[in-house]
Amino acid sequence: MSVFTRLVRLFAGLIGFGLSLALMVRAGLGLGPWDVLHQGIARHLGVQLGWVTIGVSDLVLLAWIPLRQRPGFGTISNLVVVGLTVNAALDAFGSPGDLATRTALLAGGILLNAVSTALYIGAAFGPGPRDGLMTGLAARGHSVRAARTVIEVAALAVGGVLGGSIGIGTVIYALGIGPLVHPMLPLLAVHSDKRKQPCPNS
């Protein structure tokens, strides 16, 4: 796969990820754990959600230092593009009132989030700040699953206290995003030989 194709996939994934977050925000039925935290902070600071997403990503990157993780081009792109896309999309999208439309936005947002995650990770330009934190902990001998659970539960709890949106969408996202990304990642990863694809849960 050419570098140009990988770049297209990277930025399509990052823009799609930002759009998916905006769709879930407008659905108003709950967000993923990190985004509950972002929204809670944004409400207290009175700033746009995307700026908080960028700011928290910066702080997470600082945690890479003791883990000896090195950010890639995709890591820095993730930090900037997702936040800017969220701000632009929230400015463009209105908030629907009826439950059917909100449910459709939630479902579309979660599905787009999964596809976008597989696209930008599969482009192999480096993990996002939060993904890199997990892989860094794994490299230091910690269980990725346990570390991720502890960190995301903490983010959810703090975000909830700060007024972030927790709801049925939070539960659906937490239970569904892994199983959705799992089959998509081998299909959208850089290598064409699927037999050589690493399992995303390994």
Side-chain angles (χ1 to χ4, degrees):
M1 185 182 296
S2 70
V3 173
F4 176 76
T5 302
R6 290 170 59 203
L7 285 170
V8 169
R9 291 191 176 199
L10 171 67
F11 285 103
L14 296 178
I15 291 170
F17 196 92
L19 290 173
S20 73
L21 172 54
L23 290 174
M24 288 187 283
V25 170
R26 290 307 185 210
L29 295 172
L31 302 172
W34 278 105
D35 297 319
V36 171
L37 175 63
H38 298 155
Q39 189 182 56
I41 295 172
R43 286 177 171 173
H44 272 262
L45 296 180
V47 299
Q48 289 181 295
L49 180 62
W51 298 127
V52 175
T53 302
I54 293 171
V56 171
S57 295
D58 286 329
L59 294 176
V60 171
L61 277 182
L62 292 177
W64 284 33
I65 297 174
L67 297 174
R68 298 179 182 177
Q69 289 283 92
R70 294 183 178 180
F73 177 74
T75 309
I76 304 304
S77 299
N78 181 302
L79 188 154
V80 176
V81 174
V82 172
L84 294 180
T85 302
V86 170
N87 285 344
L90 288 176
D91 287 340
F93 299 158
S95 298
D98 60 291
L99 183 59
T101 303
R102 292 166 61 201
T103 302
L105 288 180
L106 175 66
I110 292 175
L111 181 59
L112 179 59
N113 190 280
V115 173
S116 300
T117 298
L119 276 172
Y120 82 72
I121 291 177
F125 278 109
R130 295 153 190 80
D131 297 320
L133 178 61
M134 305 306 166
T135 57
L137 289 169
R140 304 288 284 184
H142 300 284
S143 164
V144 173
R145 185 169 298 178
R148 182 166 191 157
T149 299
V150 170
I151 291 172
E152 292 194 351
V153 167
L156 180 65
V158 174
V161 170
L162 294 176
S165 178
I166 298 176
I168 185 62
T170 307
V171 177
I172 295 172
Y173 182 89
L175 296 178
I177 195 64
L180 284 172
V181 173
H182 183 89
M184 293 179 186
L185 189 55
L187 297 174
L188 297 174
V190 168
H191 303 289
S192 59
D193 186 351
K194 297 181 178 58
R195 292 172 298 177
K196 297 180 181 179
Q197 292 299 318
C199 173
N201 289 339
S202 62

